[in-house]
Amino acid sequence: MDYRNAFAISATGMDVEKLRLDTIAANLANIHSGKGVDGKLFRPLHVTTSEATSNFAVGFEQLAGAQLHGARVLSVEASNVAPRKVYEPGNPEADDKGFVSMPGVNQVTEMVNMASALRAYEANVVAMNAAKTMALKALELGGSQ
Amino acid sequence: MFGQTEAITLDMLKMALDAASLRHQAIANNIANVNTPGYAPARVSFEAQMGALRSTLQQGNPITPGMLSGIRPVLEREAVVQESDRTALLDKEIVNMAQNTVQYEALLKALGKHMSILSAAVAEGKR
């Protein structure tokens, strides 16, 4: 009976969703960014995750409960989205037709992803609180009855 | 009379509490991986193994400690969740978690009652 594992699993879930929210915030913050110092446009970031697995020996993994490790982040990658072309003839970065390239951040997609990441984060908090309630209830055992 | 029921009740409550605790970890794992592509949800099988015990009790026969051997909480994996079913997974897991928490507290209550019966029997000797 190990409560710490339940807390650790929920913590990994919160970690992953927090990073997802951070990247969404970065994408939205750069929605109107021009070219950087390296002359490249910002590309929207995307988080890839997978289920976390342990590096322990397989024999140990046979223990029920020792096989559960929550989620982990595989990578944060810049996605290959074509830049948006915005007509802004007054902009110093405009090309000869008056178009400016802006990062291909899709505001609607980012907002939808944010809502789902937020909901997943909240679900992890609820799971952690449930584990806490269960652990505290078990502590009452053997007290005044 | 006391020796047999005592051992069975405590053993079964202990196993059921272990199963509920493991089930909570499985649910927490499913919730943590709610946005993971290609994830197979974890499940705990335990109550389904109680069929033989239940029919023995219904026939009015006592359960012997030997019948409990081989019964233990087992971690299983379901089929991989399709992308379109992912939002339904979260709702389902939250419901499972609420149910499991109540189940866990009910088991603790049963264990507490069992202990208080034992302490009542022990206290009788003092008089």
Side-chain angles (χ1 to χ4, degrees), chain A residues 16-145:
Chain A
V16 165
E17 301 305 336
K18 185 79 195 308
L19 183 71
R20 218 186 290 278
L21 284 172
D22 284 350
T23 51
I24 291 166
N27 289 347
L28 287 174
N30 284 297
I31 198 164
H32 287 133
S33 296
K35 286 191 173 69
V37 278
D38 55 355
K40 283 178 185 162
L41 264 185
F42 174 84
R43 288 188 296 158
L45 299 172
H46 187 258
V47 181
T48 353
T49 60
S50 81
E51 188 183 3
T53 47
S54 152
N55 295 322
F56 283 118
V58 183
F60 183 67
E61 284 288 284
Q62 298 294 325
L63 280 169
Q67 309 168 18
L68 299 169
H69 301 281
R72 71 190 169 116
V73 175
L74 283 183
S75 63
V76 182
E77 283 165 23
S79 48
N80 273 325
V81 185
R84 276 180 305 138
K85 296 278 184 192
V86 180
Y87 185 64
E88 247 179 60
N91 193 318
E93 283 185 12
D95 60 13
D96 46 3
K97 286 178 184 148
F99 284 96
V100 183
S101 294
M102 286 196 179
V105 179
N106 187 336
Q107 201 172 356
V108 177
T109 313
E110 299 298 333
M111 293 307 279
V112 169
N113 287 346
M114 182 161 69
S116 91
L118 203 59
R119 213 163 77 103
Y121 186 90
E122 284 168 355
N124 277 297
V125 174
V126 169
M128 194 205 64
N129 276 329
K132 198 172 82 180
T133 314
M134 284 162 73
L136 289 178
K137 265 279 190 285
L139 278 181
E140 288 173 17
L141 197 68
S144 57
Q145 283 163 14

Side-chain angles (χ1 to χ4, degrees), chain A residues 126 130 134, chain B residues 16 19-21 23-24 27 43 47 91-107:
Chain A
V126 169
M134 284 162 73
Chain B
S21 157
R23 186 167 290 147
H24 182 83
I27 293 168
R43 289 275 167 263
E47 281 81 0
D91 304 351
K92 213 169 76 183
E93 295 304 331
I94 295 288
V95 170
N96 285 345
M97 189 172 65
Q99 191 183 350
N100 189 52
T101 311
V102 173
Q103 160 100 349
Y104 187 82
E105 290 180 11
L107 286 167

Side-chain angles (χ1 to χ4, degrees), chain B residues 7-9 11-13 15-16 46-72:
Chain B
I8 296 281
T9 310
D11 281 354
M12 290 189 61
L13 281 172
M15 272 198 297
F46 177 67
E47 281 81 0
Q49 302 169 28
M50 295 285 181
L53 297 185
R54 220 173 285 132
S55 55
T56 311
L57 279 178
Q58 274 166 3
Q59 286 158 19
N61 299 322
I63 298 175
T64 57
M67 294 175 73
L68 293 184
S69 71
I71 295 181
R72 61 185 183 86

Side-chain angles (χ1 to χ4, degrees), chain A residues 1-3 5 51 70-71 145, chain B residues 21 25 29 33 77 104 112:
Chain A
M1 181 69 173
D2 193 356
Y3 280 105
N5 198 26
E51 188 183 3
Q145 283 163 14
Chain B
S21 157
Q25 289 179 30
N29 207 57
N33 283 293
R77 290 288 177 163
Y104 187 82

